[in-house]
Amino acid sequence: MLKRILTILVLVAVIAAVYTLAQSPQKAKETVDITKKTVDKKVLELFEVQNVNFYADSYNIAHIYGEVKNKSDTDAKEVLLEIRLIDKDGNLAKKIKVKVKNIPSGQIRTFDISFGTYNTAYKPEGKVLEVAY
């Protein structure tokens, strides 16, 4: 008798679990659907890298901070930037690439990248390499 009651309880628990899972909405994991990438100069000109600055934080880590403005009439899913670091003598010291994601039309997105301990100050310059819609 005890075995039958235990079997019925387990069966009811399994049915309840299956029912609960079937009733709850299931969402697929969101994926970024990049449909078009371009390096067309006319498109790249619609994205402006601005306010690019170099700074060292309180932990002596070097950072580049800046903004990307989307001057186009289309939301951009991703913008690939190249940041060039110029030393005090005017020579190219380093190149860093960074992706800035989800920039709505007419809006600005910021970026802040770290690249090691602070040894020397650089003058950063940025340019857009690629845009994905």
Side-chain angles (χ1 to χ4, degrees):
M1 181 74 170
L2 184 60
K3 285 184 181 180
R4 286 184 183 177
I5 293 173
L6 187 58
T7 303
I8 292 172
L9 288 175
V10 169
L11 184 60
V12 168
V14 169
I15 291 171
V18 169
Y19 178 78
T20 303
L21 288 174
Q23 296 301 317
S24 65
Q26 301 278 328
K27 291 186 179 180
K29 183 178 179 183
E30 289 186 32
T31 58
V32 177
D33 180 30
I34 297 176
T35 55
K36 179 181 175 186
K37 288 185 178 182
T38 183
V39 294
D40 183 356
K41 189 174 180 178
K42 290 180 181 180
V43 174
L44 300 183
E45 289 174 352
L46 296 173
F47 293 84
E48 181 182 355
V49 182
Q50 55 191 24
N51 300 322
V52 182
N53 294 299
F54 171 87
Y55 73 95
D57 66 16
S58 58
Y59 297 103
N60 204 33
I61 302 296
H63 291 261
I64 300 295
Y65 170 85
E67 302 171 337
V68 181
K69 183 174 185 178
N70 180 351
K71 300 185 290 184
S72 74
D73 59 357
T74 307
D75 295 348
K77 292 185 180 179
E78 187 175 276
V79 176
L80 178 64
L81 307 177
E82 178 183 79
I83 307 298
R84 299 167 56 98
L85 303 175
I86 309 300
D87 67 14
K88 65 180 180 174
D89 298 324
N91 299 316
L92 176 65
K94 189 180 275 193
K95 289 182 188 178
I96 301 172
K97 290 185 180 178
V98 61
K99 291 180 182 179
V100 181
K101 297 184 179 190
N102 300 323
I103 309 173
S105 174
Q107 299 293 313
I108 295 173
R109 282 281 189 253
T110 61
F111 62 89
D112 188 333
I113 52 176
S114 60
F115 60 93
T117 56
Y118 171 70
N119 294 323
T120 183
Y122 297 103
K123 177 185 175 220
E125 300 173 349
K127 77 175 188 176
V128 178
L129 297 178
E130 180 181 83
V131 175
Y133 293 104

